[in-house]
Amino acid sequence: MRILGIDPGLTRCGVGVVELGAGRRVRFIHAGVIRTPPSDPLEQRLLAVSRGISALITEFTPGAVAVERVFAQHNLRTVMGTAQASGIALAMAAEHGLPVGLHTPSEVKAAITGYGSAAKLQVGTMVMRILGLDEIPKPADAADALALAICHGWRGSVGAGLEANGSETPAQRAWREAEKSAGKRRVAS
Amino acid sequence: MRILGIDPGLTRCGVGVVELGAGRRVRFIHAGVIRTPPSDPLEQRLLAVSRGISALITEFTPGAVAVERVFAQHNLRTVMGTAQASGIALAMAAEHGLPVGLHTPSEVKAAITGYGSAAKLQVGTMVMRILGLDEIPKPADAADALALAICHGWRGSVGAGLEANGSETPAQRAWREAEKSAGKRRVAS
């Protein structure tokens, strides 16, 4: 199944598509950024994000959408645009009949690096390694969107089912265990 | 020209339509609330708001949309849902090719009551009087949406053009002057 990850934003909305296979294997399909100029009227920017996401869903036919959960607590200056873009992403997923998963940044970091407070570079590096890419996807928003998609796949029921049947590679098992122990350390939100 | 006012929200999204005529006269066309149950998944709620607004635009064919400007500073607990719903409202207006006006709550209060810190009841009372209704539109979200639509009509270029040609009634002139002096008192945002 393909998973579309969306790191919502107005100036740069990161998007990434991965294919989740057997044994928690994930394959890179697409990464990019929907950009809208800050000089455009807000409603036109939101419409551009909406159409961009809709076009991606049509092109890559994901079976699920993962969106970063936005909090009001940080980045007060930009949080409203981010929240509005996330609303657009969620409504677009629903419009296409796709199930949605919301993941916090620390959940994504824990799933990808085993550590919920990992630095951006560390997340990007692990996304590159997990997907077997030659370099870290750029810009960071695209890497974050791929991380969200991977996180969604690994945290979902598909991954949970595989834990029991021993089809993991040793590296995949290491990821899962790191994720688990990070989960234990995480403060309930 | 008809104006659709939207007081964005997830549990209750207020909507109101007025017809702006000559001499800043406004006529009541419609008021209502789009409700979505908090027990529904977030993406389904946002889709319902999106479809509700789209249906209203199709039914009442407004020429402009006025949306309340949302700030991150107040109501931190509910502000994210409100911001997401406002994003949906803005994108829907753009989708239908309609110009959008964003107005802060104090701009709306100043336009409707002459006082930017007016109480909710005062705004509702003035909406009732301005539109010649027998009672205050309920719930408050619907009255707020009508106030937004009136504010947009009165603050827009149509109203500005009429100021010069003496077609105002004495009551309308009083409104305009109250609005002006409230504007002077207002702190720039």
Side-chain angles (χ1 to χ4, degrees), chain A residues 42-44 46-47 50-51 70-73 76 79-80 83-84 86-88 90-91 94-95 98-100 102, chain B residues 42-44 46-47 50-51 70-73 76 79-80 83-84 86-88 90-91 94-95 98-100 102:
Chain A
L42 179 58
E43 67 273 17
Q44 294 299 333
L46 290 163
L47 181 60
S50 167
R51 289 188 172 161
V70 184
F71 290 105
Q73 280 74 10
L76 262 188
V79 78
M80 301 314 292
Q84 290 173 323
S86 83
I88 297 292
L90 292 167
E95 180 76 49
L98 298 175
V100 172
L102 287 162
Chain B
L42 178 58
E43 66 275 16
Q44 293 300 334
L46 290 163
L47 181 61
S50 169
R51 290 190 170 160
V70 184
F71 291 105
Q73 280 73 10
L76 263 188
V79 78
M80 301 314 293
Q84 290 173 324
S86 84
I88 296 292
L90 293 166
E95 179 77 49
L98 299 175
V100 171
L102 287 163

Side-chain angles (χ1 to χ4, degrees), chain A:
Chain A
M1 181 182 74
R2 287 182 175 183
I3 301 167
L4 166 62
I6 302 176
D7 182 23
L10 265 184
T11 304
R12 289 184 310 276
C13 179
V15 291
V17 183
V18 301
E19 172 107 29
L20 181 72
R24 296 162 69 88
R25 278 184 194 87
V26 280
R27 192 164 64 90
F28 173 85
I29 302 289
H30 173 81
V33 173
I34 302 166
R35 292 172 196 272
T36 74
S39 55
D40 276 7
L42 179 58
E43 67 273 17
Q44 294 299 333
R45 301 180 75 187
L46 290 163
L47 181 60
V49 171
S50 167
R51 289 188 172 161
I53 291 170
S54 190
L56 277 167
I57 292 174
T58 303
E59 184 176 354
F60 296 104
T61 62
V65 177
V67 181
E68 185 174 303
R69 192 185 288 277
V70 184
F71 290 105
Q73 280 74 10
H74 51 76
N75 295 335
L76 262 188
R77 208 176 57 80
T78 59
V79 78
M80 301 314 292
T82 305
Q84 290 173 323
S86 83
I88 297 292
L90 292 167
M92 262 302 129
E95 180 76 49
H96 287 265
L98 298 175
V100 172
L102 287 162
H103 305 282
T104 67
S106 60
E107 283 168 348
V108 174
K109 288 171 183 173
I112 302 295
T113 73
Y115 177 48
S117 301
K120 244 182 169 24
L121 177 63
Q122 196 184 346
V123 174
T125 304
M126 291 318 306
V127 165
M128 175 184 72
R129 288 189 196 161
I130 292 164
L131 295 174
L133 306 173
D134 292 332
E135 50 184 22
I136 297 176
K138 285 195 178 64
D141 311 83
D144 287 347
L146 288 170
L148 263 159
I150 298 168
C151 165
H152 187 72
W154 284 0
R155 295 185 86 212
S157 53
V158 180
L162 292 172
E163 284 175 24
N165 68 16
S167 69
E168 295 172 298
T169 66
Q172 286 160 348
R173 191 170 314 116
W175 284 124
R176 181 170 56 75
E177 275 154 18
E179 185 187 345
K180 240 185 213 167
S181 76
K184 278 177 201 148
R185 280 201 306 275
R186 232 178 296 149
V187 178
S189 60

